[in-house]
PDB file of all heavy atoms in Angstrom:
ATOM      1  N   LEU L  16      26.050   4.984  13.823  1.00  0.00           N
ATOM      2  CA  LEU L  16      25.534   3.727  13.277  1.00  0.00           C
ATOM      3  C   LEU L  16      24.742   3.978  11.996  1.00  0.00           C
ATOM      4  O   LEU L  16      23.821   4.798  11.979  1.00  0.00           O
ATOM      5  CB  LEU L  16      24.640   3.041  14.319  1.00  0.00           C
ATOM      6  CG  LEU L  16      23.950   1.749  13.879  1.00  0.00           C
ATOM      7  CD1 LEU L  16      24.968   0.633  13.665  1.00  0.00           C
ATOM      8  CD2 LEU L  16      22.902   1.326  14.919  1.00  0.00           C
ATOM      9  N   GLN L  17      25.103   3.264  10.949  1.00  0.00           N
ATOM     10  CA  GLN L  17      24.396   3.380   9.667  1.00  0.00           C
ATOM     11  C   GLN L  17      23.367   2.253   9.531  1.00  0.00           C
ATOM     12  O   GLN L  17      23.524   1.174  10.106  1.00  0.00           O
ATOM     13  CB  GLN L  17      25.390   3.322   8.522  1.00  0.00           C
ATOM     14  CG  GLN L  17      26.423   4.440   8.553  1.00  0.00           C
ATOM     15  CD  GLN L  17      25.789   5.818   8.427  1.00  0.00           C
ATOM     16  OE1 GLN L  17      25.223   6.159   7.383  1.00  0.00           O
ATOM     17  NE2 GLN L  17      25.873   6.615   9.486  1.00  0.00           N
ATOM     18  N   GLY L  18      22.343   2.509   8.736  1.00  0.00           N
ATOM     19  CA  GLY L  18      21.276   1.534   8.565  1.00  0.00           C
ATOM     20  C   GLY L  18      21.776   0.195   8.064  1.00  0.00           C
ATOM     21  O   GLY L  18      21.324  -0.866   8.518  1.00  0.00           O
ATOM     22  N   PHE L  19      22.728   0.223   7.114  1.00  0.00           N
ATOM     23  CA  PHE L  19      23.215  -1.042   6.555  1.00  0.00           C
ATOM     24  C   PHE L  19      23.935  -1.870   7.609  1.00  0.00           C
ATOM     25  O   PHE L  19      23.946  -3.105   7.548  1.00  0.00           O
ATOM     26  CB  PHE L  19      24.120  -0.783   5.346  1.00  0.00           C
ATOM     27  CG  PHE L  19      25.514  -0.335   5.682  1.00  0.00           C
ATOM     28  CD1 PHE L  19      26.536  -1.253   5.855  1.00  0.00           C
ATOM     29  CD2 PHE L  19      25.807   1.017   5.817  1.00  0.00           C
ATOM     30  CE1 PHE L  19      27.829  -0.843   6.154  1.00  0.00           C
ATOM     31  CE2 PHE L  19      27.088   1.437   6.121  1.00  0.00           C
ATOM     32  CZ  PHE L  19      28.106   0.506   6.293  1.00  0.00           C
ATOM     33  N   GLN L  20      24.544  -1.177   8.614  1.00  0.00           N
ATOM     34  CA  GLN L  20      25.243  -1.903   9.670  1.00  0.00           C
ATOM     35  C   GLN L  20      24.254  -2.611  10.593  1.00  0.00           C
ATOM     36  O   GLN L  20      24.491  -3.755  11.012  1.00  0.00           O
ATOM     37  CB  GLN L  20      26.126  -0.948  10.468  1.00  0.00           C
ATOM     38  CG  GLN L  20      27.291  -0.385   9.657  1.00  0.00           C
ATOM     39  CD  GLN L  20      28.109   0.610  10.434  1.00  0.00           C
ATOM     40  OE1 GLN L  20      27.598   1.621  10.918  1.00  0.00           O
ATOM     41  NE2 GLN L  20      29.400   0.337  10.578  1.00  0.00           N
ATOM     42  N   ALA L  21      23.157  -1.943  10.918  1.00  0.00           N
ATOM     43  CA  ALA L  21      22.116  -2.577  11.735  1.00  0.00           C
ATOM     44  C   ALA L  21      21.552  -3.801  11.005  1.00  0.00           C
ATOM     45  O   ALA L  21      21.292  -4.843  11.615  1.00  0.00           O
ATOM     46  CB  ALA L  21      21.006  -1.582  12.048  1.00  0.00           C
ATOM     47  N   ARG L  22      21.409  -3.689   9.677  1.00  0.00           N
ATOM     48  CA  ARG L  22      20.896  -4.818   8.895  1.00  0.00           C
ATOM     49  C   ARG L  22      21.909  -5.960   8.840  1.00  0.00           C
ATOM     50  O   ARG L  22      21.539  -7.136   8.894  1.00  0.00           O
ATOM     51  CB  ARG L  22      20.515  -4.346   7.482  1.00  0.00           C
ATOM     52  CG  ARG L  22      19.306  -3.410   7.455  1.00  0.00           C
ATOM     53  CD  ARG L  22      18.807  -3.161   6.045  1.00  0.00           C
ATOM     54  NE  ARG L  22      19.727  -2.357   5.265  1.00  0.00           N
ATOM     55  CZ  ARG L  22      19.761  -1.027   5.255  1.00  0.00           C
ATOM     56  NH1 ARG L  22      18.914  -0.333   6.011  1.00  0.00           N
ATOM     57  NH2 ARG L  22      20.623  -0.370   4.496  1.00  0.00           N
ATOM     58  N   LYS L  23      23.208  -5.625   8.764  1.00  0.00           N
ATOM     59  CA  LYS L  23      24.253  -6.653   8.771  1.00  0.00           C
ATOM     60  C   LYS L  23      24.191  -7.480  10.055  1.00  0.00           C
ATOM     61  O   LYS L  23      24.351  -8.706  10.039  1.00  0.00           O
ATOM     62  CB  LYS L  23      25.640  -6.011   8.644  1.00  0.00           C
ATOM     63  CG  LYS L  23      26.048  -5.694   7.223  1.00  0.00           C
ATOM     64  CD  LYS L  23      27.417  -5.024   7.188  1.00  0.00           C
ATOM     65  CE  LYS L  23      28.518  -5.961   7.618  1.00  0.00           C
ATOM     66  NZ  LYS L  23      29.863  -5.314   7.508  1.00  0.00           N
ATOM     67  N   ILE L  24      23.967  -6.795  11.174  1.00  0.00           N
ATOM     68  CA  ILE L  24      23.888  -7.491  12.451  1.00  0.00           C
ATOM     69  C   ILE L  24      22.685  -8.428  12.470  1.00  0.00           C
ATOM     70  O   ILE L  24      22.774  -9.584  12.895  1.00  0.00           O
ATOM     71  CB  ILE L  24      23.823  -6.475  13.612  1.00  0.00           C
ATOM     72  CG1 ILE L  24      25.144  -5.714  13.715  1.00  0.00           C
ATOM     73  CG2 ILE L  24      23.503  -7.173  14.936  1.00  0.00           C
ATOM     74  CD1 ILE L  24      25.081  -4.474  14.556  1.00  0.00           C
ATOM     75  N   ALA L  25      21.550  -7.934  11.990  1.00  0.00           N
ATOM     76  CA  ALA L  25      20.343  -8.768  11.941  1.00  0.00           C
ATOM     77  C   ALA L  25      20.558  -9.984  11.044  1.00  0.00           C
ATOM     78  O   ALA L  25      20.143 -11.096  11.381  1.00  0.00           O
ATOM     79  CB  ALA L  25      19.156  -7.938  11.453  1.00  0.00           C
ATOM     80  N   PHE L  26      21.244  -9.793   9.897  1.00  0.00           N
ATOM     81  CA  PHE L  26      21.562 -10.916   9.007  1.00  0.00           C
ATOM     82  C   PHE L  26      22.463 -11.926   9.711  1.00  0.00           C
ATOM     83  O   PHE L  26      22.272 -13.141   9.595  1.00  0.00           O
ATOM     84  CB  PHE L  26      22.262 -10.415   7.736  1.00  0.00           C
ATOM     85  CG  PHE L  26      21.335  -9.997   6.637  1.00  0.00           C
ATOM     86  CD1 PHE L  26      21.406  -8.715   6.099  1.00  0.00           C
ATOM     87  CD2 PHE L  26      20.383 -10.880   6.131  1.00  0.00           C
ATOM     88  CE1 PHE L  26      20.556  -8.318   5.084  1.00  0.00           C
ATOM     89  CE2 PHE L  26      19.533 -10.498   5.108  1.00  0.00           C
ATOM     90  CZ  PHE L  26      19.618  -9.204   4.587  1.00  0.00           C
ATOM     91  N   SER L  27      23.462 -11.424  10.450  1.00  0.00           N
ATOM     92  CA  SER L  27      24.414 -12.315  11.124  1.00  0.00           C
ATOM     93  C   SER L  27      23.744 -13.173  12.181  1.00  0.00           C
ATOM     94  O   SER L  27      24.266 -14.232  12.550  1.00  0.00           O
ATOM     95  CB  SER L  27      25.541 -11.496  11.757  1.00  0.00           C
ATOM     96  OG  SER L  27      25.114 -10.825  12.934  1.00  0.00           O
ATOM     97  N   LEU L  28      22.590 -12.735  12.667  1.00  0.00           N
ATOM     98  CA  LEU L  28      21.858 -13.482  13.693  1.00  0.00           C
ATOM     99  C   LEU L  28      20.822 -14.431  13.079  1.00  0.00           C
ATOM    100  O   LEU L  28      19.991 -14.993  13.800  1.00  0.00           O
ATOM    101  CB  LEU L  28      21.180 -12.499  14.652  1.00  0.00           C
ATOM    102  CG  LEU L  28      22.156 -11.635  15.471  1.00  0.00           C
ATOM    103  CD1 LEU L  28      21.402 -10.566  16.259  1.00  0.00           C
ATOM    104  CD2 LEU L  28      22.988 -12.493  16.415  1.00  0.00           C
ATOM    105  N   ASN L  29      20.893 -14.576  11.746  1.00  0.00           N
ATOM    106  CA  ASN L  29      20.034 -15.532  11.018  1.00  0.00           C
ATOM    107  C   ASN L  29      18.547 -15.238  11.206  1.00  0.00           C
ATOM    108  O   ASN L  29      17.727 -16.150  11.345  1.00  0.00           O
ATOM    109  CB  ASN L  29      20.332 -16.974  11.458  1.00  0.00           C
ATOM    110  CG  ASN L  29      21.764 -17.368  11.183  1.00  0.00           C
ATOM    111  OD1 ASN L  29      22.365 -16.945  10.202  1.00  0.00           O
ATOM    112  ND2 ASN L  29      22.333 -18.179  12.080  1.00  0.00           N
ATOM    113  N   LEU L  30      18.206 -13.957  11.199  1.00  0.00           N
ATOM    114  CA  LEU L  30      16.810 -13.563  11.356  1.00  0.00           C
ATOM    115  C   LEU L  30      16.201 -13.209  10.008  1.00  0.00           C
ATOM    116  O   LEU L  30      16.907 -12.832   9.065  1.00  0.00           O
ATOM    117  CB  LEU L  30      16.714 -12.359  12.299  1.00  0.00           C
ATOM    118  CG  LEU L  30      17.241 -12.589  13.719  1.00  0.00           C
ATOM    119  CD1 LEU L  30      17.232 -11.282  14.508  1.00  0.00           C
ATOM    120  CD2 LEU L  30      16.420 -13.652  14.442  1.00  0.00           C
ATOM    121  N   SER L  31      14.895 -13.307   9.937  1.00  0.00           N
ATOM    122  CA  SER L  31      14.194 -12.971   8.704  1.00  0.00           C
ATOM    123  C   SER L  31      12.800 -12.439   9.042  1.00  0.00           C
ATOM    124  O   SER L  31      12.333 -12.560  10.176  1.00  0.00           O
ATOM    125  CB  SER L  31      14.077 -14.196   7.789  1.00  0.00           C
ATOM    126  OG  SER L  31      13.363 -15.236   8.445  1.00  0.00           O
ATOM    127  N   GLY L  32      12.160 -11.856   8.045  1.00  0.00           N
ATOM    128  CA  GLY L  32      10.791 -11.389   8.216  1.00  0.00           C
ATOM    129  C   GLY L  32      10.644 -10.352   9.317  1.00  0.00           C
ATOM    130  O   GLY L  32      11.455  -9.426   9.452  1.00  0.00           O
ATOM    131  N   LYS L  33       9.602 -10.509  10.116  1.00  0.00           N
ATOM    132  CA  LYS L  33       9.318  -9.561  11.186  1.00  0.00           C
ATOM    133  C   LYS L  33      10.468  -9.488  12.182  1.00  0.00           C
ATOM    134  O   LYS L  33      10.838  -8.399  12.639  1.00  0.00           O
ATOM    135  CB  LYS L  33       8.027  -9.975  11.901  1.00  0.00           C
ATOM    136  CG  LYS L  33       7.678  -9.073  13.087  1.00  0.00           C
ATOM    137  CD  LYS L  33       6.456  -9.570  13.839  1.00  0.00           C
ATOM    138  CE  LYS L  33       6.209  -8.727  15.089  1.00  0.00           C
ATOM    139  NZ  LYS L  33       5.042  -9.247  15.874  1.00  0.00           N
ATOM    140  N   ALA L  34      11.052 -10.642  12.538  1.00  0.00           N
ATOM    141  CA  ALA L  34      12.139 -10.662  13.515  1.00  0.00           C
ATOM    142  C   ALA L  34      13.339  -9.861  13.021  1.00  0.00           C
ATOM    143  O   ALA L  34      14.011  -9.173  13.800  1.00  0.00           O
ATOM    144  CB  ALA L  34      12.557 -12.100  13.824  1.00  0.00           C
ATOM    145  N   PHE L  35      13.608  -9.928  11.705  1.00  0.00           N
ATOM    146  CA  PHE L  35      14.708  -9.158  11.116  1.00  0.00           C
ATOM    147  C   PHE L  35      14.461  -7.659  11.297  1.00  0.00           C
ATOM    148  O   PHE L  35      15.339  -6.913  11.746  1.00  0.00           O
ATOM    149  CB  PHE L  35      14.837  -9.512   9.638  1.00  0.00           C
ATOM    150  CG  PHE L  35      15.884  -8.722   8.907  1.00  0.00           C
ATOM    151  CD1 PHE L  35      17.187  -9.169   8.845  1.00  0.00           C
ATOM    152  CD2 PHE L  35      15.558  -7.519   8.280  1.00  0.00           C
ATOM    153  CE1 PHE L  35      18.153  -8.442   8.172  1.00  0.00           C
ATOM    154  CE2 PHE L  35      16.515  -6.779   7.616  1.00  0.00           C
ATOM    155  CZ  PHE L  35      17.819  -7.242   7.556  1.00  0.00           C
ATOM    156  N   LYS L  36      13.271  -7.208  10.938  1.00  0.00           N
ATOM    157  CA  LYS L  36      12.937  -5.782  11.069  1.00  0.00           C
ATOM    158  C   LYS L  36      12.977  -5.331  12.534  1.00  0.00           C
ATOM    159  O   LYS L  36      13.454  -4.237  12.844  1.00  0.00           O
ATOM    160  CB  LYS L  36      11.554  -5.523  10.477  1.00  0.00           C
ATOM    161  CG  LYS L  36      11.476  -5.743   8.971  1.00  0.00           C
ATOM    162  CD  LYS L  36      10.056  -5.522   8.458  1.00  0.00           C
ATOM    163  CE  LYS L  36       9.977  -5.768   6.948  1.00  0.00           C
ATOM    164  NZ  LYS L  36       8.583  -5.611   6.447  1.00  0.00           N
ATOM    165  N   GLU L  37      12.484  -6.199  13.413  1.00  0.00           N
ATOM    166  CA  GLU L  37      12.494  -5.880  14.846  1.00  0.00           C
ATOM    167  C   GLU L  37      13.928  -5.724  15.365  1.00  0.00           C
ATOM    168  O   GLU L  37      14.217  -4.844  16.159  1.00  0.00           O
ATOM    169  CB  GLU L  37      11.774  -6.983  15.626  1.00  0.00           C
ATOM    170  CG  GLU L  37      10.272  -6.967  15.470  1.00  0.00           C
ATOM    171  CD  GLU L  37       9.588  -6.148  16.551  1.00  0.00           C
ATOM    172  OE1 GLU L  37      10.096  -6.123  17.684  1.00  0.00           O
ATOM    173  OE2 GLU L  37       8.560  -5.522  16.239  1.00  0.00           O
ATOM    174  N   MET L  38      14.831  -6.594  14.889  1.00  0.00           N
ATOM    175  CA  MET L  38      16.222  -6.525  15.331  1.00  0.00           C
ATOM    176  C   MET L  38      16.897  -5.253  14.830  1.00  0.00           C
ATOM    177  O   MET L  38      17.678  -4.623  15.554  1.00  0.00           O
ATOM    178  CB  MET L  38      16.991  -7.761  14.883  1.00  0.00           C
ATOM    179  CG  MET L  38      18.472  -7.740  15.278  1.00  0.00           C
ATOM    180  SD  MET L  38      18.769  -7.559  17.077  1.00  0.00           S
ATOM    181  CE  MET L  38      18.355  -9.227  17.642  1.00  0.00           C
ATOM    182  N   VAL L  39      16.635  -4.859  13.595  1.00  0.00           N
ATOM    183  CA  VAL L  39      17.201  -3.621  13.063  1.00  0.00           C
ATOM    184  C   VAL L  39      16.782  -2.433  13.941  1.00  0.00           C
ATOM    185  O   VAL L  39      17.606  -1.592  14.317  1.00  0.00           O
ATOM    186  CB  VAL L  39      16.769  -3.391  11.603  1.00  0.00           C
ATOM    187  CG1 VAL L  39      17.178  -1.997  11.122  1.00  0.00           C
ATOM    188  CG2 VAL L  39      17.370  -4.459  10.699  1.00  0.00           C
TER     189      VAL L  39
END
């Protein structure tokens, strides 16, 4: 798993801010 892929998943779940970082 690459970092950009974890971020793509967080983006797809419509998260932002702290929740985005937590999801990554």
Side-chain angles (χ1 to χ4, degrees):
L16 177 68
Q17 299 298 294
F19 78 91
Q20 293 177 302
R22 292 190 290 274
K23 277 178 67 177
I24 293 165
F26 273 124
S27 75
L28 295 173
N29 299 326
L30 299 174
S31 60
K33 177 184 175 183
F35 177 89
K36 294 178 181 178
E37 286 268 327
M38 178 57 75
V39 171

